[in-house]
């Protein structure tokens, strides 16, 4: 794509999606003098981007940000850690709004390194339903030398608030996939105008909702990204909201609720039952899908106490592990969470995370009086799938993989927010769709023992997926193991290999169990 400052070099009449203009690849001839002037100095180049004309787009900010001086223009999220803005290098900050169709207003930002651009672009993901630009997710890519972008997904709102979609089907489409595509295409045009040539590679990195965004991009716009990192986001909202609703039903049952204060006891029993199966007692369950833990071992023998479970509570915990079931067919509608995830279940209460319940209340039924006990896991789930068919995430990635796109999936086994087995299920569905050979050539799944939703937990949660993806896309080196780490007391560090599913890291039987060299990946 070639764009001028002030004048577009091509016009488009497609009303829904931006289509790239055909240009000779690899040639910088034909760049007009305006773009050459923009490329002369980084400051003037950035300032002049305010006049860049792109279809359906208004650039609202184009300014150079000095080293370490960026100030986030939106309030920090309550759970956010220090974003490290003081360590950012100088960059050109571009903010824009794109409205591809009526009732669509997608805001995004792209940050362009003033010096040391690595020639690549990275799109970054969001979390929950939050309608805001996730500035903190742009920090690491910029520090690596990437031109990096993020979008508000076409709306404003809090993490569990679906109200933006009520009566606004175009905004639901923006949220589901169109905002990321528009951000990607427009950002790459801005990059070319600023640097004078296109980005050589394009990558996506996201977790949770950001993982979903990456999978939607791979499915619907296979040419947008060369490589995608999708963490803890496999599946569509219809699938992923049913398990939290089941958990909320169990925890808030008016006749026999599962007490939240008993969740730590259940977790400790699960870890004790499964921890040493990999040969190392470290409070990390290496492969919980093979864990034999049955909460029946906690059933009270002499009345209900805080240290045991009643028969009804045992049954409730079993139902959560199993996942919601269609009462007519016996089909498991969505996988349940794995042993070790129990503490996170407490989030799914009326005063906690209402994302799942609000999805059915607002998007599916548009009924303010609806509550989780109204959900029919047969008819209502089928209705939701039919109603949301145009925005569901499907496992058909043939076009993405045919062009050589690489996909790294990862998920923490103790994730109690998005069930880890949902990613395993998605991985298997993609393999069935594209064929095992294509799947092996272009996709890897890394299940991370002891790691919670998008990080944390007692497992080795720190690893460099970006470098791994770069080596795969650019050098053809497929990842057969990734070294992950976590800090320990006294300044020590534990390292473990992450293995491509279905392999698991297994202790060789001798040597330091905190050193990855003493583990190997086995089936």
């Amino acid at each position: 794509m070639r764009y001028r400052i002030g004048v577009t070099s091509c016009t488009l009449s497609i009303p829904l999606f931006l289509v790239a203009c055909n240009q000779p690849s690899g040639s910088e001839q034909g760049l007009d003098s305006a773009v050459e002037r923009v490329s002369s100095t980084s400051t003037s180049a950035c300032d002049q981007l305010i006049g860049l004309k792109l279809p359906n787009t208004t650039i609202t900010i184009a300014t150079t940000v000095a080293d370490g001086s960026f100030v986030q223009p939106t309030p920090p999220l309550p759970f956010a850690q220090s974003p490290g803005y003081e360590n950012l290098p100088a960059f050109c900050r571009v903010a824009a709004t794109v409205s591809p169709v009526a009732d669509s207003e997608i805001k995004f930002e792209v940050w362009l390194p003033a010096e040391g651009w690595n020639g690549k672009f990275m799109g970054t993901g969001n979390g929950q339903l939050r309608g805001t630009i996730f500035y903190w997710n742009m920090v690491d890519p910029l520090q690596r030398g990437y031109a990096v972008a993020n979008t508000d997904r076409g709306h404003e709102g809090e993490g569990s608030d679906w109200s933006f979609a009520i009566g606004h089907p175009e905004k639901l489409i923006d949220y589901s996939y169109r905002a990321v595509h528009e951000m990607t295409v427009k950002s790459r045009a801005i990059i070319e105008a600023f640097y004078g040539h296109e980005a050589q590679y394009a990558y996506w990195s996201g977790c949770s909702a950001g993982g979903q965004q990456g999978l939607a991009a791979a499915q619907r716009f296979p040419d947008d990204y060369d490589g995608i990192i999708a963490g803890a986001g496999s599946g569509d909202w219809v699938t992923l909201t049913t398990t939290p609703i089941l958990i909320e039903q169990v925890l808030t049952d008016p006749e026999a609720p599962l007490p939240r204060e008993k969740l730590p006891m259940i977790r400790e029993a699960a870890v004790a039952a499964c921890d040493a199966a990999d040969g190392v007692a470290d409070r990390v369950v290496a492969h919980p899908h093979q864990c034999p833990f049955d909460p029946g071992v906690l059933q009270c023998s002499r009345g209900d106490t805080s240290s045991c479970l009643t028969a009804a509570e045992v049954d409730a915990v079993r139902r959560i592990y199993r996942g919601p079931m269609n009462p007519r067919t016996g089909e498991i509608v969505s996988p349940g969470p794995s042993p070790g995830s129990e503490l996170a279940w407490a989030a799914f209460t009326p005063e906690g995370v209402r994302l799942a319940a609000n999805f059915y209340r607002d998007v599916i039924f548009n009924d303010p009086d609806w509550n989780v006990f109204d959900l029919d896991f047969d008819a209502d789930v089928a209705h939701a799938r039919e109603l949301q068919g145009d925005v569901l995430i499907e496992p058909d990635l043939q076009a993405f993989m045919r062009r050589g796109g690489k996909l790294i999936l990862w998920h923490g086994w103790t994730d109690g927010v998005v069930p880890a087995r949902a990613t395993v299920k998605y991985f298997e569905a993609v393999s069935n769709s594209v064929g095992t050979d294509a799947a092996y050539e272009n996709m890897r799944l890394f299940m991370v023992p002891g790691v919670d939703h998008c990080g944390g937990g007692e497992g080795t949660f720190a690893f460099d997926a970006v470098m791994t993806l770069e080596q795969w896309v650019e050098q053809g080196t497929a990842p057969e193991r990734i070294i992950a780490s976590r800090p320990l007391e006294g300044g020590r560090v534990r390292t473990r290999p992450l293995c491509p599913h279905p392999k698991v890291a297994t202790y060789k039987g001798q040597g330091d169990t905190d050193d990855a060299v003493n583990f190997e990946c086995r089936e």
Side-chain angles (χ1 to χ4, degrees), residues 347-389:
F348 300 113
T349 58
E351 64 274 17
V353 178
R354 298 289 291 170
L355 186 153
N358 292 351
F359 172 76
Y360 276 91
R361 185 193 69 187
D362 296 339
V363 179
I364 302 302
F365 297 111
N366 192 14
D367 178 2
D369 296 324
W370 185 90
N371 70 77
V372 295
F373 294 101
D374 294 333
L375 184 67
D376 183 331
F377 287 108
D378 182 7
D380 289 348
V381 170
H383 172 64
R385 290 191 188 282
E386 180 179 357
L387 191 65
Q388 296 301 298

Side-chain angles (χ1 to χ4, degrees), residues 5-16:
I5 299 299
V7 181
T8 59
S9 64
C10 63
T11 59
L12 303 174
S13 60
I14 304 301
L16 189 59

Side-chain angles (χ1 to χ4, degrees), residues 190-212:
I190 293 169
I191 289 168
E192 183 177 2
F194 184 67
Y195 293 112
H197 59 87
E198 296 177 331
Q200 185 177 7
Y201 296 102
Y203 296 107
W204 174 268
S205 180
C207 190
S208 190
Q212 285 184 309

Side-chain angles (χ1 to χ4, degrees), residues 280-337:
V280 181
D282 55 1
R283 295 187 54 78
V284 174
V285 180
H287 27 92
H289 54 301
Q290 297 179 353
C291 174
F293 174 65
D294 179 4
V297 300
L298 297 174
Q299 186 165 332
C300 302
S301 57
R302 296 183 180 180
D304 184 15
T305 72
S306 60
S307 59
C308 65
L309 299 175
T310 66
E313 291 166 355
V314 169
D315 178 66
V317 175
R318 285 172 177 162
R319 286 194 291 129
I320 290 177
Y321 286 142
R322 181 196 64 201
M325 184 177 69
N326 184 314
R328 177 178 57 85
T329 66
E331 172 197 4
I332 300 301
V333 176
S334 178

Side-chain angles (χ1 to χ4, degrees), residues 155-458:
H155 74 279
E156 296 180 357
E158 297 301 320
S160 297
D161 183 8
W162 285 98
S163 63
F164 72 90
I166 300 176
H168 298 279
E170 296 297 342
K171 291 189 181 297
L172 183 60
I173 291 174
D174 286 342
Y175 169 80
S176 299
Y177 57 83
R178 186 165 53 204
V180 166
H181 176 63
E182 291 288 347
M183 174 202 78
T184 301
V185 175
K186 301 306 196 301
S187 293
R188 297 185 72 166
I190 293 169
I191 289 168
E192 183 177 2
F194 184 67
Y195 293 112
H197 59 87
E198 296 177 331
Q200 185 177 7
Y201 296 102
Y203 296 107
W204 174 268
S205 180
C207 190
S208 190
Q212 285 184 309
Q213 289 169 282
L215 298 180
Q219 171 200 338
R220 294 179 179 274
F221 306 102
D223 294 330
D224 278 2
Y225 290 96
D226 301 298
I228 291 173
I229 300 166
S234 301
D236 54 76
W237 283 115
V238 176
T239 298
L240 297 182
T241 52
T242 52
T243 296
I245 287 177
L246 170 65
I247 295 174
E248 183 171 339
Q249 288 177 346
V250 168
L251 293 179
T252 61
D253 187 328
E255 296 183 1
L258 175 65
R260 278 172 277 180
E261 56 268 23
K262 291 189 178 183
L263 296 180
M265 173 189 67
I266 301 169
R267 178 177 183 268
E268 290 303 310
V271 171
C274 308
D275 178 15
D278 61 348
V280 181
D282 55 1
R283 295 187 54 78
V284 174
V285 180
H287 27 92
H289 54 301
Q290 297 179 353
C291 174
F293 174 65
D294 179 4
V297 300
L298 297 174
Q299 186 165 332
C300 302
S301 57
R302 296 183 180 180
D304 184 15
T305 72
S306 60
S307 59
C308 65
L309 299 175
T310 66
E313 291 166 355
V314 169
D315 178 66
V317 175
R318 285 172 177 162
R319 286 194 291 129
I320 290 177
Y321 286 142
R322 181 196 64 201
M325 184 177 69
N326 184 314
R328 177 178 57 85
T329 66
E331 172 197 4
I332 300 301
V333 176
S334 178
S338 302
S341 66
E342 295 78 10
L343 298 184
W345 301 353
F348 300 113
T349 58
E351 64 274 17
V353 178
R354 298 289 291 170
L355 186 153
N358 292 351
F359 172 76
Y360 276 91
R361 185 193 69 187
D362 296 339
V363 179
I364 302 302
F365 297 111
N366 192 14
D367 178 2
D369 296 324
W370 185 90
N371 70 77
V372 295
F373 294 101
D374 294 333
L375 184 67
D376 183 331
F377 287 108
D378 182 7
D380 289 348
V381 170
H383 172 64
R385 290 191 188 282
E386 180 179 357
L387 191 65
Q388 296 301 298
D390 57 342
V391 296
L392 293 180
I393 294 175
E394 302 290 351
D396 182 5
L397 302 186
Q398 293 187 59
F400 177 71
M401 293 185 177
R402 191 180 302 120
R403 63 174 290 268
K406 306 302 182 187
L407 174 61
I408 291 179
L409 300 165
W410 72 272
H411 207 137
W413 266 123
T414 51
D415 189 340
V417 177
V418 177
R421 285 184 290 165
T423 296
V424 176
K425 183 177 179 180
Y426 174 84
F427 173 83
E428 293 170 347
V430 172
S431 297
N432 291 334
S433 175
V434 304
T436 54
D437 291 343
Y440 180 77
E441 289 296 323
N442 299 286
M443 177 174 63
R444 292 290 188 277
L445 166 61
F446 294 90
M447 301 302 296
V448 192
V451 171
D452 298 338
H453 186 62
C454 292
E458 298 194 50

